[in-house]
């Protein structure tokens, strides 16, 4: 999730690039850089941190150029620092590029390029592309052809803009899986990862599709596929406001982030499954994988939504890895002098990687000599830096205060870790392959659930005046009940509680009457019959019921007031699907109550204080 912008024309590109980067900063903000051509020389300026720091640095340099590209980074490979910031250049500094996406086969490509004598300056996956293109330039191909040939070897996703000082009349851009839009001006053209970066200059845009390469000159535009087929592109007129565009056309960041989940889960999985072995590969754990597999106990520590992900992780680790697992709130763990044994492995799950309690718990565990592992979204965050090893979730920046896409990515990563450990223990190749295959199907199943948005909005209308909600689930879906209740209370300010469904009769059942909506998470699994009994108990007491059930379950419709149907998958992955309707339900109720969904009262996105 980086932001990219480029300009070619008669004006000075530097302020255009800086303005564009400021508009894109919400996509990534750990470092930024620009690359420009002056008299056939390439100048690259990069800076760790916000675009404003880059701007200060550039002001002192007094730069002028009619062609340039700029990038604001959200790190995926390599910590946020100046070296890893974009643009990346070839070894003689004549070619530079910016990249948004993930190159899956970068290890293989890098090995080949190192053999050819290429020197790498950064830890990024992006740098392989610049050297790969350079290797074709060295064979005598022009820039466009070299880009096409290089992209034929690249696996993964990219939005790219490339400038070559020996062909200073063009920017070559390409796209696969990452957004890229070209802006058409009068005697000038633009490129950006989203239109907000260029809307101040033009409303005429061309959307590139996967596998397309475009050549931008100051007064012309042409496009081909990476296989060199010429293509005609249609020019569109932008009618959205800038505000709408930042939110991807959605009313709120939370909705945008809910809708992004097919893609974010795909990104969490990308390049991490080895099909033939039915297992996963997680580079960040490679140095500790033996220790982790041999651990006698796993502890998972986190706060809030990340703690709920940890609870699902506990079920996964115990079922498949057969390693006793305990989950604890970081705030409790840090103060109770926890017992930590020699063979314990401790995961710290955190979207931000900066949550004060989780960070302190991690430092405490590290001091006691435990193997401390991170599952973080923000690359280079404190938890990511200070843990012994870890896995990034690759969900991209989460802006809505209520965590949504970070949660499903955490669950995805926990499933990948389960696969990694379990295959090294008792899980068969065939069973491992089943899990891997099911995991790969999750993004399209999420797409299907998201199509129920309107249906869920109608249910929200019915329940928007409720003052309480009860969420009940069993097994893997008990943590989903907790997460559904948390989403409801934090953005709609409706009191909501999550319980294991069987616990209802030990107390909460006293609350049930016609004013108590109860959400049952009831997919068809080994506890289905039990949960149906719980549904009947609520029904008998007049409670209003919403059930999250499987598509092929027609029986449940007769027992409940509303059903939201989700596709079937294996039990361990079901929470990634069942939580989606609950996110949408909370979202729509909060909107209908006229509340500030993205910034609920009293809450902060990153809780860096106790
Ligand atoms: C809920 C939510 C919080 C966070 C919690 C931990 O929607 O966002 O409960 O999950 O503050 O934050 P991270 O994951 O950044 O450590």
């Amino acid at each position: 999730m980086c932001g990219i912008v480029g300009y070619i024309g008669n004006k000075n590109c530097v302020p255009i690039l800086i303005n564009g980067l400021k508009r894109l900063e919400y996509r990534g903000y750990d470092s930024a850089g620009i690359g420009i051509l002056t008299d056939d020389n390439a100048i690259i300026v990069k800076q760790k941190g916000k675009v404003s720091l880059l701007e200060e640095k550039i002001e002192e340099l007094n730069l002028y150029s009619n062609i340039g590209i700029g990038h604001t980074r959200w790190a995926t490979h390599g910590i946020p620092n100046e070296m890893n910031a974009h643009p990346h250049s070839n070894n003689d500094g004549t070619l530079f590029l910016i990249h948004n996406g993930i190159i899956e086969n970068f290890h293989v490509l890098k090995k080949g390029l190192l053999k050819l004598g290429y020197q790498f300056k950064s830890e990024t996956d992006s740098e392989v592309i610049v050297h790969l293109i350079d290797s074709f330039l060295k064979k005598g191909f022009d820039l466009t052809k070299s880009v096409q040939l290089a992209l034929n070897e690249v696996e993964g996703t990219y939005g790219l803009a490339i400038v070559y000082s020996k062909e200073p009349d063009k920017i070559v851009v390409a796209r696969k899986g990452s957004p890229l839009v070209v802006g058409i001006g009068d005697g000038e053209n633009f490129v950006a990862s989203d239109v907000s970066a260029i809307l101040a200059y033009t409303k005429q845009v061309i959307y590139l599709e996967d596998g397309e390469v475009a050549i931008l000159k100051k007064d012309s535009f042409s496009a081909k596929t990476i296989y060199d087929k010429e293509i005609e592109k249609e020019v569109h007129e932008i009618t959205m406001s800038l505000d709408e565009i930042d939110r991807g056309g959605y009313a709120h960041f939370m909705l945008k982030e809910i809708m992004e989940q097919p893609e974010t889960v795909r990104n969490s999985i990308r390049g991490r499954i080895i099909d033939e072995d039915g297992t996963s590969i997680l580079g960040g754990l490679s140095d500790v994988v033996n220790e982790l597999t041999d651990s006698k106990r796993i502890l998972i520590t986190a706060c809030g939504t990340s703690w709920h992900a940890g609870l699902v992780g506990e079920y996964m680790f115990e079922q498949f890895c057969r390693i006793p697992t305990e989950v604890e709130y970081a705030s409790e763990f840090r103060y109770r002098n926890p017992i930590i044994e020699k063979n314990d492995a401790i995961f710290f799950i955190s979207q931000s990687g900066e949550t004060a309690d989780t960070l302190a718990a991690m430092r405490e565990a590290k001091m006691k000599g435990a193997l401390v592992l991170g599952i973080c979204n923000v690359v280079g965050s404190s938890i990511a830096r200070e843990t012994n090893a870890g896995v990034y979730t690759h969900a991209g920046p989460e802006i809505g205060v209520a965590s949504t896409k970070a949660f499903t990515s955490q669950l995805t990563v926990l499933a990948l870790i389960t696969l990694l450990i379990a295959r090294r223990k008792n899980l068969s190749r065939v069973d491992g392959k089943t899990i891997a295959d099911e995991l790969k199907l999750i993004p399209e199943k999420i797409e299907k659930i998201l199509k129920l948005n309107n249906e869920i909005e109608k249910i929200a209308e019915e329940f928007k005046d409720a003052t309480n909600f009860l969420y009940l689930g069993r097994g893997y879906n008990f943590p989903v009940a907790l997460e559904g209740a948390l989403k409801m209370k934090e953005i709609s300010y409706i009191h909501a509680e999550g319980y294991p469904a069987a616990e209802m009769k030990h107390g909460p059942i006293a609350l049930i009457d016609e004013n108590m909506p109860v959400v049952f998470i009831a997919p068809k699994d080994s506890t289905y019959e039990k949960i149906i009994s719980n549904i009947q108990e609520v029904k008998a007491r007049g409670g209003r019921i919403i059930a999250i059930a499987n598509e092929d379950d027609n029986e449940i419709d007769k027992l409940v007031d509303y059903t939201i149907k989700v596709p079937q998958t294996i039990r361990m992955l079901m929470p990634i699907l069942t939580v989606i309707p609950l996110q949408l339900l909370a979202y729509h109720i909060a909107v209908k109550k006229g509340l500030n969904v993205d910034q609920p009262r009293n809450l902060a996105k990153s809780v860096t204080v106790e």
Side-chain angles (χ1 to χ4, degrees):
M1 276 288 284
C2 305
I4 72 182
V5 58
Y7 173 83
I8 183 163
N10 296 317
K11 298 185 190 133
N12 183 10
C13 69
V14 177
I16 297 173
L17 298 180
I18 292 294
N19 286 340
L21 290 180
K22 283 184 180 162
R23 298 260 1 135
L24 293 173
E25 208 163 16
Y26 74 91
R27 292 177 64 89
Y29 36 73
D30 58 46
S31 56
I34 63 163
I36 59 169
L37 284 185
T38 55
D39 300 329
D40 299 353
N41 276 329
I43 298 178
I44 291 176
V45 189
K46 308 193 211 185
Q47 175 67 42
K48 183 176 175 213
K50 296 243 169 207
V51 174
S52 54
L53 296 175
L54 176 73
E55 188 178 21
E56 279 170 26
K57 195 169 181 179
I58 284 172
E59 263 166 23
E60 290 163 16
L61 300 172
N62 211 5
L63 298 173
Y64 183 94
S65 168
N66 301 133
I67 169 171
I69 53 180
H71 185 273
T72 174
R73 181 166 184 251
W74 172 263
T76 59
H77 295 68
I79 57 165
N81 61 16
E82 205 169 305
M83 207 48 110
N84 290 332
H86 298 219
H88 292 289
S89 58
N90 64 348
N91 288 154
D92 63 15
T94 51
L95 177 75
F96 56 90
L97 61 74
I98 49 179
H99 169 227
N100 171 25
I102 298 175
I103 305 303
E104 288 166 20
N105 60 340
F106 93 100
H107 285 296
V108 182
L109 293 173
K110 189 168 177 176
K111 238 190 225 166
L113 290 161
L114 284 169
K115 271 196 202 140
L116 291 175
Y118 283 96
Q119 283 154 18
F120 284 75
K121 294 185 283 259
S122 77
E123 304 155 305
T124 64
D125 52 338
S126 311
E127 195 184 346
V128 297
I129 316 172
V130 77
H131 297 310
L132 193 60
I133 296 171
D134 181 87
S135 71
F136 289 106
L137 289 170
K138 293 258 158 35
K139 288 182 188 153
F141 296 106
D142 68 8
L143 178 61
T144 310
K145 191 73 196 161
S146 299
V147 170
Q148 289 170 310
L149 291 169
L151 294 183
N152 275 299
E153 294 189 14
V154 163
E155 286 166 25
T157 56
Y158 50 79
L160 282 168
I162 307 137
V163 174
Y164 184 33
S165 63
K166 296 186 181 165
E167 297 182 39
D169 62 334
K170 63 174 80 74
I171 303 176
V172 175
V173 303
R175 170 202 165 151
K176 186 181 161 206
S178 301
L180 206 69
V181 59
V182 171
I184 304 293
D186 190 10
E188 57 187 7
N189 285 316
F190 305 81
V191 63
S193 47
D194 70 62
V195 279
S196 64
I198 55 177
L199 202 65
Y201 311 101
T202 181
K203 287 192 172 352
Q204 308 293 318
V205 300
I206 292 171
Y207 296 102
L208 285 199
E209 300 301 330
D210 284 355
E212 292 181 352
V213 176
I215 301 106
L216 309 190
K217 297 190 175 178
K218 70 178 185 181
D219 37 30
S220 74
F221 163 88
S222 59
K224 301 174 176 197
T225 68
I226 60 167
Y227 306 111
D228 210 31
K229 193 169 156 259
E230 300 281 341
I231 32 179
E232 286 292 315
K233 297 296 295 179
E234 201 183 324
V235 179
H236 298 262
E237 167 107 18
I238 296 289
T239 51
M240 271 193 274
S241 71
L242 270 174
D243 240 25
E244 279 174 289
I245 286 166
D246 281 352
R247 288 180 260 104
Y250 292 104
H252 299 95
F253 279 108
M254 183 181 175
L255 185 59
K256 172 174 178 269
E257 286 157 8
I258 292 173
M259 293 296 173
E260 272 171 11
Q261 289 176 106
E263 200 45 37
T264 49
V265 168
R266 233 173 243 133
N267 283 339
S268 305
I269 301 170
R270 201 177 294 288
R272 288 171 160 178
I273 285 179
I274 308 177
D275 283 312
E276 57 279 17
D277 296 335
T279 188
S280 65
I281 173 165
L282 295 165
L285 293 182
S286 56
D287 290 344
V288 298
V289 67
N290 291 335
E291 225 178 314
L292 179 58
T293 310
D294 294 340
S295 58
K296 294 276 168 288
R297 184 174 69 140
I298 294 178
L299 299 171
I300 304 177
T301 301
C303 303
T305 290
S306 299
W307 182 77
H308 297 154
L311 291 176
V312 178
E314 176 183 12
Y315 285 91
M316 291 181 184
F317 290 161
E318 293 208 338
Q319 185 184 354
F320 294 97
C321 310
R322 306 306 294 157
I323 301 177
T325 303
E326 288 167 34
V327 187
E328 185 158 5
Y329 284 116
S331 52
E332 291 299 311
F333 182 93
R334 64 181 287 197
Y335 285 120
R336 68 171 184 88
N337 195 16
I339 298 168
I340 294 170
E341 309 277 0
K342 207 166 122 254
N343 292 316
D344 285 345
I346 315 187
F347 280 99
F348 295 86
I349 307 180
S350 176
Q351 186 285 129
S352 61
E354 302 293 349
T355 301
D357 282 326
T358 314
L359 187 57
M362 189 271 296
R363 287 177 179 156
E364 176 72 16
K366 200 172 178 187
M367 200 190 65
K368 286 182 163 15
L371 173 66
V372 294
L373 307 165
I375 299 177
C376 294
N377 192 32
V378 179
V379 175
S381 54
S382 302
I383 294 174
R385 281 197 318 270
E386 293 184 34
T387 38
N388 301 124
V391 187
Y392 285 119
T393 49
H394 294 333
E398 194 177 59
I399 292 169
V401 163
S403 191
T404 52
K405 64 176 181 171
F407 179 68
T408 46
S409 281
Q410 287 165 346
L411 298 184
T412 306
V413 163
L414 284 162
L416 289 166
I417 296 171
T418 303
L419 208 47
L420 179 76
I421 305 173
R423 279 289 288 124
R424 298 167 71 90
K425 299 187 87 176
N426 294 330
L427 192 73
S428 70
R429 187 174 159 278
V430 174
D431 290 343
K433 210 168 152 21
T434 305
I435 295 175
D437 289 346
E438 281 294 332
L439 194 53
K440 285 192 288 182
L441 291 173
I442 291 292
E444 59 194 74
K445 292 182 179 175
I446 298 178
E447 269 158 25
K448 229 173 152 192
I449 299 170
L450 293 173
K451 293 205 175 104
L452 304 177
N453 187 29
N454 290 343
E455 196 181 306
I456 295 170
E457 188 182 353
K458 283 186 200 135
I459 300 176
E461 181 63 36
E462 294 296 313
F463 288 92
K464 67 178 193 307
D465 299 320
T467 47
N468 290 290
F469 258 93
L470 202 56
Y471 287 74
L472 302 172
R474 281 173 178 259
Y476 278 101
N477 286 297
F478 156 53
V480 176
L482 297 180
E483 176 60 8
L486 179 63
K487 288 290 90 87
M488 185 61 82
K489 54 190 147 195
E490 67 183 330
I491 59 166
S492 74
Y493 315 150
I494 295 175
H495 173 245
E497 301 260 12
Y499 274 95
E503 276 295 302
M504 186 180 64
K505 58 185 168 299
H506 299 289
I509 199 163
L511 295 169
I512 309 270
D513 62 16
E514 60 286 356
N515 297 317
M516 174 62 92
V518 184
V519 180
F520 276 96
I521 300 118
K524 278 209 167 151
D525 60 21
S526 54
T527 58
Y528 178 74
E529 296 306 327
K530 305 269 174 215
I531 211 152
I532 290 295
S533 307
N534 301 136
I535 288 176
Q536 269 153 344
E537 286 155 16
V538 171
K539 194 86 219 146
R541 287 159 182 84
R544 291 194 294 159
I545 302 174
I546 303 170
I548 313 299
N550 282 133
E551 285 170 341
D552 58 355
D553 186 352
N554 299 322
E555 289 307 300
I556 202 164
D557 299 333
K558 297 173 199 150
L559 297 173
V560 305
D561 300 273
Y562 298 92
T563 30
I564 304 170
K565 301 278 178 81
V566 300
Q568 186 58 275
T569 183
I570 51 174
R571 268 174 70 203
M572 70 180 287
L573 301 180
M574 209 63 209
I576 311 179
L577 302 183
T578 49
V579 76
I580 310 267
L582 305 186
Q583 297 169 343
L584 284 169
L585 183 67
Y587 169 78
H588 285 299
I589 288 186
V591 171
K592 286 178 190 300
K593 290 173 72 122
L595 299 172
N596 185 343
V597 175
D598 284 332
Q599 286 165 336
R601 71 182 177 207
N602 307 338
L603 288 173
K605 183 65 194 156
S606 186
V607 187
T608 53
V609 290
E610 264 195 76

